């Protein structure tokens, strides 16, 4: 699942920015949040690292969407 998700993100890297409209931006935000959740679940045994990595993933992803 994680590898398929990353392959999908790479394939659609430039398609879902906030400048693309409401639906693409909602899909992009959802993709960022799902990716952050996958990071959280990958690191769930170490809760502080999971929180930090998921938060950083969310911040960087949403920031990238905003300036894309």
């Amino acid at each position: 699942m994680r590898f398929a998700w990353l392959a999908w993100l790479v394939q659609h890297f430039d398609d879902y920015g906030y400048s693309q409209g409401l639906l693409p931006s909602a899909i992009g935000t959802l993709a960022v949040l799902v990716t952050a959740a996958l990071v959280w679940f990958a690191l769930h045994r170490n809760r502080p690292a999971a929180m930090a990595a998921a938060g950083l993933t969310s911040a960087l992803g949403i920031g990238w969407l905003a300036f894309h």
Side-chain angles (χ1 to χ4, degrees):
M1 165 74 182
R2 291 182 192 135
F3 294 118
W5 180 252
L6 289 176
W8 182 86
L9 283 177
V10 169
Q11 183 180 5
H12 297 286
F13 191 69
D14 290 332
D15 295 344
Y16 297 112
Y18 289 146
S19 63
Q20 307 289 326
L22 184 60
L23 182 60
S25 64
I27 293 170
T29 303
L30 182 64
V32 166
L33 295 177
V34 168
T35 304
L38 288 175
V39 167
W40 178 284
F41 290 130
L43 299 172
H44 73 279
R45 293 183 189 263
N46 186 352
R47 186 177 176 119
M51 289 176 65
L56 184 64
T57 301
S58 297
L60 290 176
I62 291 173
W64 181 82
L65 289 173
F67 293 106
H68 175 270

